[in-house]
Amino acid sequence: MRNLELDKVYQKLEPGPVVLLTTAECGRPNVMTMSWHMMVEFNPPLIACVVSEADYSFRALSQSGEAVIAIPPADLAETVVGIGNCSGRDVDKFARFGLTAKRANEVEAPLIEQCIVNIECKVLDRGMVKRYNLFILEAVKAWVDPKRAEAPTLHHCGYGRFRIDGEELRLRSAKP
């Protein structure tokens, strides 16, 4: 074993695919790249996510209490990184990156047509926002593109490094 610097720990624990978080404020949609998220409960699906107070999306999420978590396919990697490298304060990211916003059913934040899955969410718990910028979201409606349901996704490893899903391994399990 060798020493692992503590600021590198997150690179080993990234739990799931890089996602795009959409919000809407006064009818203006925005999208940010997010990799700090995790499932908290199966049903109803509860998702914890960190949205920094410094992010433009923080205010919209805090005020509206709504968002969409969209899972992009790996072939959108450059778009995903581009979205993460600029601010919605300065640019309409949907226009800049050629994303198609679709109307959601339960929230004002838009779905993203190019994504594999779109999960409409409402903020359920803000108890850890002040201290950790951690929101607990409840999924209230979810969509999947059946043509892309098995498309590989992107996983963040830190500082511009990513992995793409590999081979699926199926083992017998008594739990979901």
Side-chain angles (χ1 to χ4, degrees), residues 4-6 23 27 29 46 55 78 81 86 90 107 110 119 124 126 134 149 155 157-158 160 170 174:
L4 176 64
E5 296 169 36
L6 292 177
T23 54
L46 300 181
D55 290 327
E78 288 186 20
V81 171
C86 65
D90 308 319
V107 299
I119 306 164
L124 179 70
R126 300 169 193 261
L134 183 85
H155 298 261
C157 300
R170 290 181 178 242

Side-chain angles (χ1 to χ4, degrees), residues 137-150:
L137 307 178
E138 179 177 0
V140 294
K141 179 79 176 157
W143 306 89
V144 63
D145 178 348
K147 294 178 197 144
R148 301 194 81 181
E150 299 301 319

Side-chain angles (χ1 to χ4, degrees), residues 8-176:
K8 306 275 190 267
V9 168
Y10 84 93
Q11 297 171 7
K12 306 300 180 191
L13 287 176
E14 287 296 335
V18 174
V19 300
L20 298 173
L21 182 81
T22 72
T23 54
E25 184 177 37
C26 301
R28 182 176 180 259
N30 189 45
V31 58
M32 67 171 276
T33 301
M34 180 173 71
S35 60
W36 291 16
H37 57 82
M38 70 176 192
M39 292 301 303
V40 178
E41 183 58 74
F42 291 109
N43 200 12
L46 300 181
I47 304 155
C49 65
V50 174
V51 179
S52 170
E53 198 172 348
D55 290 327
Y56 181 67
S57 297
F58 180 88
R59 188 173 78 191
L61 180 59
S62 294
Q63 290 178 357
S64 72
E66 299 179 344
V68 169
I69 294 174
I71 304 173
D75 61 16
L76 285 182
E78 288 186 20
T79 297
V80 168
V81 171
I83 289 167
N85 285 336
C86 65
S87 174
R89 283 182 193 89
D90 308 319
V91 66
D92 175 345
K93 294 186 192 182
F94 280 87
R96 176 177 279 185
F97 296 102
L99 297 175
T100 307
K102 301 296 270 186
R103 186 158 179 75
N105 276 23
E106 304 293 327
V107 299
E108 290 300 316
L111 310 176
I112 300 175
E113 184 176 304
Q114 291 85 349
C115 286
I116 303 165
V117 171
N118 283 271
I119 306 164
E120 299 181 41
C121 299
K122 295 192 176 185
V123 175
L124 179 70
D125 188 339
R126 300 169 193 261
M128 292 182 277
V129 170
K130 187 172 246 175
R131 186 164 183 179
Y132 298 109
N133 295 319
L134 183 85
F135 293 84
I136 304 296
L137 307 178
E138 179 177 0
V140 294
K141 179 79 176 157
W143 306 89
V144 63
D145 178 348
K147 294 178 197 144
R148 301 194 81 181
E150 299 301 319
T153 57
L154 203 58
H155 298 261
H156 186 243
C157 300
Y159 300 103
R161 294 180 304 115
F162 297 86
R163 294 191 191 278
I164 295 175
D165 286 338
E167 180 181 335
E168 182 177 296
L169 176 64
R170 290 181 178 242
L171 300 172
R172 200 171 155 102
S173 175
K175 297 186 181 202

